[in-house]
Amino acid sequence: MVISFIMVGRDPTSAAMTWLFWLLSENDDVENKLLQEVEPLISLGLGFEELKEMSYKKACLCEALRLYPPVSWDSKHAANDVLPDGTRVKKGDKVTYFPYGMGRMENLWGEDCEEFKPNRWFDSEPGITEPVLKPVSPFKFPVFQAGTRVCIGKEMAFMQMKFVVGSVLSRFEIIPVSKHKPVFVPLLTAHMVGGLKWGNDGEEFKPNQWFDSEPGIMEPVLKPIRPFKFPVFQAGPVLKPIRPFKFPVFQAGPRVCIGEEMAFMQMKFFVGYVLSRFEIIPVSKHKPVFVPLLTAHIVGGLKVKIKRREVK
């Protein structure tokens, strides 16, 4: 379960965004349209409602996923002797489908199927009126699977990708270091060979500056950098280490939860997001009752009133 959570919640979205950033670097007109959609909403904080409005960004993501699906092939087992389209198989046979190939079929996507064109996801050319994403059958675009096995995290994945892409593009221009077309590798989770190496305008990308010596035959060692010199993660008070055997919420030893840091990131994001917008006022003044079941909870949940904070 944990492995599935890590792989499905992290690797496919990062792979999809990597390809989108490269595609945008090759298509300035698309990037400019995307920025026109993002920039007016940045000041509002890229909350849930703002992210929902970003239809052009979703079209860009869908187009990147069509051309470079994170899961380029998958298999199922036939439940009957005949597939829904009439193809005869034997019950229990392994049936493989190929989203990467399907995304490049002319009979599905037209003669321009090899081209990156986000506008194909709209019913009409986006213009003055609000563009509307057209419904596309998941059996034609099976990146998130289809039918009863459709990915339940689909919309969350789009929200995550919209947030990250919007945050990055509003601050940086992505300039790939190499002019060569990257190589697509269709492994369990497809990826770009070597990743997308990029720099920003006028600055050279030099990862080796973070090592004490030039990496060579010996294993390179990252040199310590004072946080006040490199304040990306801020500087100041440092959390003291607590032994997991003293605080075993995430277990300890070889069985320690591998999703601990991801869990903290998610919780910090949601807590910060809620508290920055709302004041939480419990309805009851009584101390809630803790119920230690398989997953502990508060009896009856936490009933609250919310008061929107004034934006200064």
Side-chain angles (χ1 to χ4, degrees), residues 238-284:
V238 179
L239 288 169
K240 63 182 180 183
I242 301 292
R243 295 185 70 240
F245 293 96
K246 176 182 178 181
F247 180 65
V249 172
F250 293 95
Q251 301 194 37
R255 295 292 185 180
V256 67
C257 175
I258 61 175
E260 176 181 353
E261 292 305 319
M262 180 176 287
F264 273 120
M265 286 296 177
Q266 288 180 324
M267 292 188 288
K268 286 195 283 187
F269 174 81
F270 286 112
V271 171
Y273 180 84
V274 171
L275 291 183
S276 66
R277 289 162 174 77
F278 305 103
E279 180 182 354
I280 306 299
I281 307 169
V283 173
S284 173

Side-chain angles (χ1 to χ4, degrees), residues 163-232:
F163 180 84
V164 173
V165 172
S167 298
V168 171
L169 290 183
S170 64
R171 294 167 173 80
F172 305 103
E173 180 182 356
I174 305 299
I175 306 171
V177 173
S178 173
K179 297 298 181 183
H180 298 293
K181 182 178 180 180
V183 178
F184 179 80
V185 183
L187 296 178
L188 181 61
T189 299
H191 65 274
M192 183 185 291
V193 170
L196 180 62
K197 296 180 174 63
W198 55 278
N200 56 2
D201 194 15
E203 296 183 9
E204 193 173 350
F205 181 69
K206 293 183 177 180
N208 288 346
Q209 67 181 310
W210 296 91
F211 294 102
D212 270 327
S213 59
E214 187 73 15
I217 299 175
M218 301 296 291
E219 185 69 21
V221 179
L222 286 168
K223 61 184 177 183
I225 302 291
R226 294 186 69 237
F228 294 98
K229 176 182 177 182
F230 182 64
V232 172

Side-chain angles (χ1 to χ4, degrees), residues 1-13 71 145 151-153 156-157 160 188-189 257-259 262 266:
M1 180 67 180
V2 173
I3 295 298
S4 297
F5 175 74
I6 296 294
M7 291 180 64
V8 176
R10 183 193 67 182
D11 292 352
T13 51
V71 180
Q145 304 200 36
C151 175
I152 60 174
M156 179 176 286
Q160 288 178 329
L188 181 61
T189 299
C257 175
I258 61 175
M262 180 176 287
Q266 288 180 324

Side-chain angles (χ1 to χ4, degrees), residues 275 278-289 298-307 309:
L275 291 183
F278 305 103
E279 180 182 354
I280 306 299
I281 307 169
V283 173
S284 173
K285 298 298 183 183
H286 298 291
K287 182 178 179 180
V289 178
I298 292 176
V299 170
L302 180 62
K303 296 180 174 63
V304 300
K305 296 178 181 178
I306 57 173
K307 180 180 178 182
R309 297 185 190 276

